[in-house]
Amino acid sequence: MRGHWAFYRRPFASVTEMDRQMIDRWNSVIGSDDEVWYLGDFAIRQRPDRVASLVKALHGRKHLITGNNDDAAVKGCDGWESIQAYAEVSVDGMHLVLCHYPFRTWRNMSKGWVNLHGHSHGRLEAAAASV
């Protein structure tokens, strides 16, 4: 494969196959009433109608934490329950700080709050423990 698609080295024969598998995998574990916080970069350079069809195909009540690649087509999609750059939520007693970008420090981290993020693509080096 050549061009933009080859750059990402995805293990799929086509974008259509990739989308179908990702939607099927998502829907196999997410129910229609489940709440989902998507941590950014939902779709890169896609038409608004394509973004809307992808969001609609996915189960759940979806919230978008915006990423650096989420353009007007993604942010303008009416399939999101909410859209913001940052959120603090509690799930089963666990406090979460949600942002597309990783933090070295965050509010209440010393009280057990957890930062969930995207963006680093598995390349973020671990921070040295502070004393």
Side-chain angles (χ1 to χ4, degrees), residues 62-66 74-78 80-85:
K62 299 165 286 291
H63 301 267
L64 176 66
I65 299 295
T66 54
V74 174
K75 294 176 190 174
C77 180
D78 65 3
W80 302 109
E81 294 280 324
S82 68
I83 300 171
Q84 59 261 311

Side-chain angles (χ1 to χ4, degrees), residues 43-54 71 73-74:
I44 300 173
R45 295 185 297 271
Q46 298 298 311
R47 297 181 326 274
D49 59 316
R50 178 162 160 66
V51 172
S53 71
L54 291 170
D71 60 13
V74 174

Side-chain angles (χ1 to χ4, degrees), residues 4-122:
H4 184 65
W5 177 249
F7 173 76
Y8 293 107
R9 292 182 241 142
R10 303 287 192 233
F12 304 99
S14 68
V15 172
T16 302
E17 178 190 341
M18 178 184 72
D19 288 351
R20 182 78 266 138
Q21 284 196 35
M22 290 177 73
I23 291 167
D24 289 348
R25 290 176 186 183
W26 174 296
N27 289 341
S28 73
V29 296
I30 304 296
S32 59
D33 291 328
D34 290 340
E35 188 169 21
V36 177
W37 290 83
Y38 197 93
L39 300 180
D41 290 352
F42 181 77
I44 300 173
R45 295 185 297 271
Q46 298 298 311
R47 297 181 326 274
D49 59 316
R50 178 162 160 66
V51 172
S53 71
L54 291 170
V55 172
K56 184 178 180 180
L58 298 169
H59 293 170
R61 297 184 345 264
K62 299 165 286 291
H63 301 267
L64 176 66
I65 299 295
T66 54
N68 56 301
N69 289 304
D70 291 319
D71 60 13
V74 174
K75 294 176 190 174
C77 180
D78 65 3
W80 302 109
E81 294 280 324
S82 68
I83 300 171
Q84 59 261 311
Y86 174 94
E88 294 177 358
V89 300
S90 292
V91 178
D92 297 331
M94 177 174 276
H95 300 288
L96 306 172
V97 173
L98 308 177
C99 188
H100 179 65
Y101 301 99
F103 297 135
R104 289 286 187 206
T105 64
W106 57 90
R107 187 167 95 82
N108 289 328
M109 67 184 284
S110 64
K111 295 179 182 176
W113 288 35
V114 176
N115 170 225
L116 298 181
H117 62 85
H119 189 72
S120 64
H121 307 280

